Structures are given as structure tokens and as C-alpha cells.
């Protein structure tokens, strides 16, 4: 990913990047892709009806991660209150999705992989939220 490089080149940033937020942006976009792929894989399973909630949470998490990654990538102006809220919501979406995917991980490798990606993103969002509004 190019988040570090592109954000550090922004005229309002002038090289002063928030490393925790950069990690979070990258994890958000990775998690969104993983959740979309997991939902698609769930749709291909023979027991798709048992995976309905997993699919729902995959898609919700993907949407929230995309929005959070996009919001975090914007450096012109400031909207720290919204960004903090987005990061907190993203951490919640990731936790819910990971918890559901964990229920299916023994039988579906894609769910195991997705749960891991969601946990990484949840952790990154929690780390980033602690840096917003504190001089970073």
C-alpha cells in the first residue's frame, strides 16, 4: 500500500504522519477486501443458509472499513470528531464480524482468514482512535 507515501506528501501534512492512523487505513482496506471475498465464498458454500448472518456481517464490515479508510485518508481540513467515531464504529464492526467468522472457522478456511483480518483491523482502529485529537 502507498498510504504512508501519499499521505506524507500531502501539503497539509508536511511529512508529519500519524503512524497508527496509517496502519489503520491499510488494515481497513485489507479487511474490506477480505470481508468481501469471505462473503462471496460463503455464498458458494453448500450450507449458505447457515452462513446468512456471516455474510451480512462480512458485507457490513466491508462497507464500514471502506468508509473508515477513506475518511482517515483525507488530510485537507479536519474532522476529528467524525474520524474518532468512524474508528470506534469500525472496531465494533470488525469485532462483530470476527466473532461470527470464528463460529465457522473450523469448517471454512475463508472464515478463519477473515476473522484474523478483522481482529487486526479492530486492533489498528483502537490504536488509531487513541491518537486522534492529541497533537498527531
Amino acid at each position: 500500500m502507498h498510504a504512508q507515501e501519499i499521505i506524507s506528501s500531502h501539503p497539509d501534512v508536511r511529512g508529519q504522519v500519524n503512524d497508527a492512523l496509517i496502519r489503520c487505513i491499510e488494515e481497513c482496506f485489507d479487511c474490506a477486501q477480505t470481508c468481501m471475498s469471505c462473503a462471496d465464498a460463503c455464498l458458494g458454500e453448500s450450507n449458505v443458509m447457515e452462513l446468512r448472518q456471516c455474510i451480512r456481517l462480512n458485507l457490513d464490515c466491508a462497507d464500514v472499513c471502506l468508509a473508515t479508510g477513506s475518511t482517515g485518508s483525507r488530510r485537507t481540513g479536519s474532522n476529528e470528531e467524525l474520524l474518532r467515531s468512524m474508528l470506534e464504529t469500525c472496531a465494533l464492526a470488525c469485532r462483530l464480524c470476527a466473532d461470527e467468522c470464528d463460529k465457522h472457522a473450523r469448517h471454512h478456511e475463508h472464515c478463519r482468514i477473515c476473522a484474523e483480518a478483522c481482529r487486526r483491523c479492530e486492533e489498528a482502529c483502537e490504536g488509531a482512535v487513541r491518537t486522534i485529537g492529541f497533537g498527531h
Side-chain angles (χ1 to χ4, degrees):
M1 296 207 113
H2 293 92
Q4 175 83 27
E5 186 178 9
I6 192 72
I7 290 173
S8 68
S9 71
H10 191 287
D12 288 353
V13 174
R14 294 184 177 88
Q16 300 294 317
V17 296
N18 177 337
D19 291 330
L21 183 57
I22 296 292
R23 177 176 173 252
C24 180
I25 292 165
E26 291 175 347
E27 292 293 349
C28 282
F29 289 129
D30 179 66
C31 189
Q33 186 280 321
T34 303
C35 286
M36 291 296 288
S37 291
C38 188
D40 186 62
C42 286
L43 287 169
E45 295 290 350
S46 60
N47 63 333
V48 69
M49 290 305 291
E50 296 170 30
L51 297 168
R52 288 178 66 208
Q53 185 64 11
C54 192
I55 295 165
R56 168 62 192 259
L57 293 176
N58 282 161
L59 297 175
D60 287 351
C61 190
D63 288 345
V64 171
C65 285
L66 285 172
T68 303
S70 295
T71 301
S73 296
R74 296 184 186 113
R75 300 291 82 201
T76 301
S78 177
N79 198 352
E80 289 182 349
E81 184 178 358
L82 177 65
L83 181 56
R84 285 182 65 86
S85 178
M86 298 278 301
L87 291 168
E88 290 165 352
T89 300
C90 192
L92 173 62
C94 289
R95 181 178 53 81
L96 295 173
C97 189
D99 288 349
E100 183 65 25
C101 280
D102 278 339
K103 294 176 186 177
H104 310 286
R106 280 193 0 217
H107 301 291
H108 304 295
E109 180 69 2
H110 52 86
C111 287
R112 184 194 63 76
I113 294 166
C114 188
E116 288 178 3
C118 287
R119 298 271 185 233
R120 282 192 310 273
C121 191
E122 176 187 12
E123 179 185 300
C125 287
E126 289 170 348
V129 78
R130 290 190 294 270
T131 68
I132 304 301
F134 299 102
H136 294 277

